[in-house]
Amino acid sequence: MATLTQCAPESLQAQSVAEVVLALGSNYQAERYLPLARESLAALGEVKLSTAFQNPDFTATTQLPKPDYTNQCVYLVLTTPMSLQQLQQTFKTLEGDCNRRRQTEPKQVRRVTMDIDILMVKLATIENSLSGYSIFKSISDWIVMADRYPFKAHEEAGVKELILTKL
């Protein structure tokens, strides 16, 4: 994966995305919120799921223990490509639909009902066919979001499971 192109998300905001690999995470009522998020993502296109992993919160300490996370990667082929900026906003809305509340108190134990992070994208191009219909195709190799790399162990395992072994 180290050979894949890395880009800062800011440089891709207006680019049209056809495919995306996401990291989902929940440390509060994951059995409720992960299925809700997967259902909402399936409404955007074709979804493939990695194995779900339960992981300790890497920011937990003995003085400030935190609940474990359930994490899962999602490969999503969008029915209709959208800009990276639109995708990010869509995922923030979906987090809100899962009752995500962003806490500002640093010492509080954070209850994260749903966290959706974009790990990788494939950009789209529009080709006009002879019939006049637009055809969306992926034109690029995977682009890794530089702010997410290197991936956490569960993210790397999920990406490998979804992208490198199945596609």
Side-chain angles (χ1 to χ4, degrees):
M1 272 188 271
T3 61
L4 295 174
T5 302
Q6 294 181 38
C7 286
E10 302 80 41
S11 67
L12 298 173
Q13 289 295 297
Q15 296 294 316
S16 186
V17 175
E19 300 174 48
V20 62
V21 175
L22 307 170
L24 306 183
S26 175
N27 73 357
Y28 181 73
Q29 296 184 3
E31 67 285 347
R32 175 180 174 196
Y33 292 111
L34 281 170
L36 181 60
R38 292 188 298 250
E39 183 180 314
S40 295
L41 291 169
L44 299 174
E46 181 185 339
V47 169
K48 291 185 183 177
L49 305 170
S50 75
T51 303
F53 298 95
Q54 190 161 5
N55 302 293
D57 184 324
F58 71 93
T59 66
T61 63
T62 52
Q63 295 81 21
L64 186 61
K66 297 181 180 179
D68 290 347
Y69 272 85
T70 302
N71 299 102
Q72 187 170 40
C73 287
V74 177
Y75 168 59
L76 172 61
V77 179
L78 294 163
T79 302
T80 304
M82 61 178 81
S83 72
L84 182 60
Q85 184 176 23
Q86 289 172 305
L87 269 179
Q88 290 169 325
Q89 186 55 53
T90 298
F91 298 148
K92 292 293 177 219
T93 299
L94 200 154
E95 288 173 344
D97 292 345
C98 290
N99 298 315
R100 170 84 188 255
R101 303 289 176 257
R102 297 192 185 274
Q103 293 168 308
T104 55
E105 296 294 323
K107 294 291 184 188
Q108 286 183 327
V109 174
R110 293 187 329 149
R111 286 186 174 176
V112 179
T113 57
M114 181 50 51
D115 184 42
I116 303 173
D117 294 313
I118 299 172
L119 301 179
M120 301 166 53
V121 297
K122 274 192 177 183
L123 302 181
T125 186
I126 302 171
E127 294 182 358
N128 290 321
S129 70
L130 296 176
S131 63
Y133 291 102
S134 295
I135 301 169
F136 294 96
K137 291 175 46 175
S138 296
I139 59 166
S140 65
D141 291 328
W142 287 105
I143 299 171
V144 176
M145 298 293 98
D147 64 339
R148 297 294 307 172
Y149 197 79
F151 297 144
K152 296 174 184 145
H154 62 271
E155 293 169 342
E156 185 164 340
V159 168
K160 284 181 178 177
E161 182 181 343
L162 289 171
I163 302 300
L164 302 179
T165 61
K166 298 209 175 178
L167 303 178

